[in-house]
Amino acid sequence: MKIDFRKIKVEDLAGNVDIIDVSKAFGNAIFNNACDRGEFDLSKPIYHDGEIDITEEQAKSLVKYTEVFKLVVYREAVKNALLNIKDEEK
């Protein structure tokens, strides 16, 4: 399934939705902190392209990198986007 880190939805208290681009910050965080080659390899297309095709397992493994965001609202928005990735039924 595809996820576009240039278009992460963030909702405020009033229910208004903004779109944020976290591709550079998130890709860079993974690149500089990855201990797993698979995660390291995902950092480059996240940083350069923003949109990647990702499996449910890969998405879950990237959740730990959401801690790079100081603002909880951004952290939760990216975490929710990752946890909503589901593998297609065969």
Side-chain angles (χ1 to χ4, degrees):
M1 187 170 189
K2 290 197 181 287
I3 183 169
D4 192 340
F5 291 97
R6 298 167 299 183
K7 299 177 182 174
I8 299 295
K9 295 178 182 179
V10 177
E11 188 173 340
D12 67 15
L13 286 173
N16 302 310
V17 176
D18 282 326
I19 304 297
I20 61 170
D21 180 348
V22 298
S23 60
K24 302 292 188 212
F26 197 54
N28 198 41
I30 297 165
F31 182 86
N32 287 312
N33 294 291
C35 294
D36 175 90
R37 182 61 192 216
E39 293 172 359
F40 178 79
D41 289 342
L42 284 173
S43 71
K44 295 172 187 175
I46 291 171
Y47 183 91
H48 292 291
D49 304 326
E51 183 178 46
I52 63 167
D53 198 17
I54 191 171
T55 67
E56 184 176 354
E57 181 181 350
Q58 289 170 318
K60 287 180 181 178
S61 77
L62 297 182
V63 168
K64 64 183 165 269
Y65 299 105
T66 61
E67 295 301 316
V68 69
F69 299 106
K70 291 180 183 177
L71 298 176
V72 174
V73 69
Y74 286 11
R75 195 174 352 182
E76 291 300 311
V78 177
K79 189 182 297 184
N80 288 337
L82 287 166
L83 293 177
N84 281 323
I85 297 294
K86 301 293 179 208
D87 290 337
E88 294 179 16
E89 295 292 322
K90 304 283 184 208

